[in-house]
Structures are given as structure tokens and as C-alpha cells.
Amino acid sequence: MTARHPAVRALWTAYEVLAMAFGLGALAAICLAWLPGALLLHPLLPRRLGKSVGRAAIAGGFRLYLRLLGAACACRFDIDELDRLRGAGPLVVVANHPSLLDAVLILSRLPDAVCVIKASLMDNVLFGAAARLARYIRNNAPLEMILNAREELQSGAQLLIFPEGTRTTDFPVGPCLPSAGLIANRAGVPVQALLIEFSTPYLGKAWPLFRRPSLPLTCRIRLGRRFPPPADVAAFTRELDTYFRSELGASAPSTATA
């Protein structure tokens, strides 16, 4: 906001701080509300039913959370294009990763998506039970990750993975790793690129969790190119890296891992 009067600037700064506290608190509250159910259902439900219930619950919880951010925190999310992926069949969905909100935005619109996440999140008090019920995939053992991802894709799910391997260190996109190409190659499924554009790198790698946002915050997710199942993983990784940089206006030279 470009407020000139000091009093207006002070009030807007206070609002940004309150919005940050509300946003973090609302997400924690939603996760805590689902925690007992996820813990109870995980051992009781058959695997197939459990993951369907778990993924639907995560999608619903994230949709609620985004509505709260839109209503109370001056956040605007243009993510309707994601709805076109429903019913599109098995896909490896890849996206740049500028913010902690990326997975929240995508999973809110893809209720049958399975996510590759850090092993530490699977053991996290707030998120772990929900992730385990949804049968999300740990990223700590590469071969096991690839095999589990292939199994999910062959069962008809869509797989969400961030090919940078972590949040973007050089906004808006960093170098791609070969994991997405390896999975798509083994499973024989296309790769759907998503292009995430934030007004600021809020909750990015260099943005501390408790640093107030610069509001209003806007985000748009566009459907990008759909690549055929790659035969040459190294060549595909370079192509994907180049594609993200071209579409997102990143000028840094590619250092994609072959």
C-alpha cells in the first residue's frame, strides 16, 4: 500500500501484523481441528478409503483457509485454472515454489492429488497425521519415493511435486532437479507445469515465518505446458528448467542437475 500520511501507514502496518497472526493462527486451528480425526481414522480405515477421505479433508480445509485469508487478510488468489485438471487423469504436476502457500493453493483445487513432501513434515505435530492418512509420499528415500509415486499414478491419482526440491532461493524460480522427470519416466505419464506468480515472495525461503506480509497480497496460478512422458530424464530436466525461467521472467542462468 502506498499510503503517504504517517498515521495511515501506521494503521496499515498494524493491520498487516494482525493479518499475519490471523493467517498463521487460522491454519494452525484448522490443522488441530482435523488432527484427532486423522489420528483415529488412519488405523481404522482401509488404505484406499483412508487416502480418499484424507485428501478430500485436506482439500476442504485448505479451501476454507483460503476463503478466510481472502475475507480478512487482503489476499487475492486467482487459481480457477486449476479446476481444469480435475478429471484429467494421472499427471505429474510440477510447479515453481516461491512460497509456503503453494501446496495449500494447489491442493485446495485437486482433491485426489498426492503430494511429495519433506519427511520432517510427515512427523510434524500439526500436519503429520493428515499427511499420513492421505498417504502423502516422503522424499527422504529416492527409490522408495519413485516407486510409491509410480504406484499412486498407476492407480489414477495426480502427483504434486516441486522440482526445485525446496522453496525458491532466487525468486521467482530456482534450478530444477531430476525427480519429476524420473517419476514421469517410470510411470509413463505426462508432466503438467503450473506457473505460480506472487506479488511478493511472502513466506519464501528468505522470508521469515513471523515477518509481516506486504498487503494486499496477490497470487495467480496459470496452467503451463503439458509435456509428454520423458524418455531422456536429463534432457527433460534442462527443458523444464528453461521453460520455467522463460515463462516467469527469470534471467539467471540455468544450473539444472542432469
Side-chain angles (χ1 to χ4, degrees):
M1 181 180 180
T2 57
R4 293 180 179 273
H5 195 282
V8 175
R9 287 200 300 269
L11 286 172
W12 190 254
T13 297
Y15 169 68
E16 290 175 332
V17 172
L18 289 173
M20 175 199 69
F22 175 82
L24 295 176
L27 181 59
I30 290 170
C31 292
L32 285 172
W34 177 231
L35 178 61
L39 287 171
L40 178 65
L41 293 175
H42 185 266
L44 294 180
L45 294 180
R47 178 183 177 88
R48 184 173 180 178
L49 178 59
K51 68 184 181 182
S52 296
V53 171
R55 292 170 194 177
I58 288 173
F62 284 167
R63 284 196 300 273
L64 171 62
Y65 178 60
L66 294 176
R67 284 197 291 269
L68 291 174
L69 292 185
C73 299
C75 295
R76 300 293 178 264
F77 304 113
D78 180 2
I79 58 175
D80 289 347
E81 287 194 22
L82 291 173
D83 293 339
R84 290 162 51 189
L85 297 182
R86 294 187 185 183
L91 294 168
V92 175
V93 178
V94 297
N96 57 308
H97 199 5
S99 170
L100 283 173
L101 291 175
D102 302 333
V104 173
L105 293 163
I106 296 168
L107 294 172
S108 73
R109 295 296 184 98
L110 301 181
D112 192 34
V114 58
C115 190
V116 176
I117 66 173
K118 290 183 177 180
S120 58
L121 284 178
M122 294 287 279
D123 302 318
N124 182 277
V125 173
L126 282 178
F127 308 115
R132 291 192 297 272
L133 178 62
R135 268 61 179 196
Y136 284 176
I137 298 170
R138 295 175 182 263
N139 72 348
N140 58 333
L143 179 58
E144 183 179 357
M145 178 190 73
I146 291 170
L147 293 175
N148 289 337
R150 182 177 65 178
E151 180 183 351
E152 288 291 341
L153 289 163
Q154 290 175 344
S155 71
Q158 295 176 340
L159 180 85
L160 171 62
I161 185 169
F162 296 103
E164 295 168 76
T166 186
R167 278 173 293 159
T168 302
T169 55
D170 186 14
F171 189 79
V173 65
C176 292
L177 301 176
S179 50
L182 283 167
I183 293 169
N185 171 270
R186 295 293 182 90
V189 301
V191 178
Q192 173 65 58
L194 300 180
L195 303 163
I196 303 177
E197 299 167 324
F198 270 90
S199 55
T200 65
Y202 178 58
L203 294 180
K205 198 74 171 178
W207 196 292
L209 183 63
F210 294 105
R211 176 182 169 186
R212 64 182 175 87
S214 178
L215 298 178
L217 178 70
T218 62
C219 174
R220 180 188 179 199
I221 299 182
R222 296 185 283 126
L223 290 190
R225 179 179 169 187
R226 185 170 300 181
F227 298 84
D232 184 331
V233 173
F236 168 76
T237 302
R238 291 191 295 270
E239 183 180 14
L240 183 64
D241 186 282
T242 300
Y243 174 74
F244 273 126
R245 291 179 181 280
S246 173
E247 289 293 322
L248 295 168
S251 58
S254 172
T255 56
T257 302

